[in-house]
Amino acid sequence: MDQMTDMRGGAPHSIQLAIHEHGALRVLLAAARALIGAVVAPVLPDATDRLSDHLRRDIGLPPRGSPLPEAPMMPVRW
């Protein structure tokens, strides 16, 4: 049986293929770097803050400074 097929005879998973092509240590380090980068990534400012109230209304946003509308509560049916 080919080393790159799983026990059921299907195609390999992408992680298995990445480990086979690049080695387990490189794949582990790349995954750790991606996880750490996601945690310490800078927060980008909201682009909708610069829009006028007219444009905000056109795309379905409330005017600046107004509270967000509350979602309707559905009754609980047991």
Side-chain angles (χ1 to χ4, degrees):
M1 182 190 291
D2 184 25
Q3 183 181 5
M4 290 305 299
T5 57
D6 63 9
M7 298 305 289
R8 295 175 304 277
H13 297 284
S14 61
I15 189 73
Q16 293 171 340
L17 185 59
I19 291 172
H20 181 73
E21 289 180 0
H22 303 288
L25 183 61
R26 291 182 81 182
V27 172
L28 177 65
L29 292 175
R33 191 177 320 121
L35 286 173
I36 292 171
V39 171
V40 297
V43 178
L44 299 176
D46 188 10
T48 59
D49 287 341
R50 297 185 309 244
L51 295 176
S52 68
D53 287 339
H54 175 78
L55 290 175
R56 291 175 63 87
R57 184 179 62 241
D58 285 350
I59 62 173
L61 294 173
R64 279 184 291 221
S66 65
L68 293 175
E70 292 187 24
M73 295 294 291
M74 299 297 291
V76 178
R77 296 183 183 183
W78 296 98

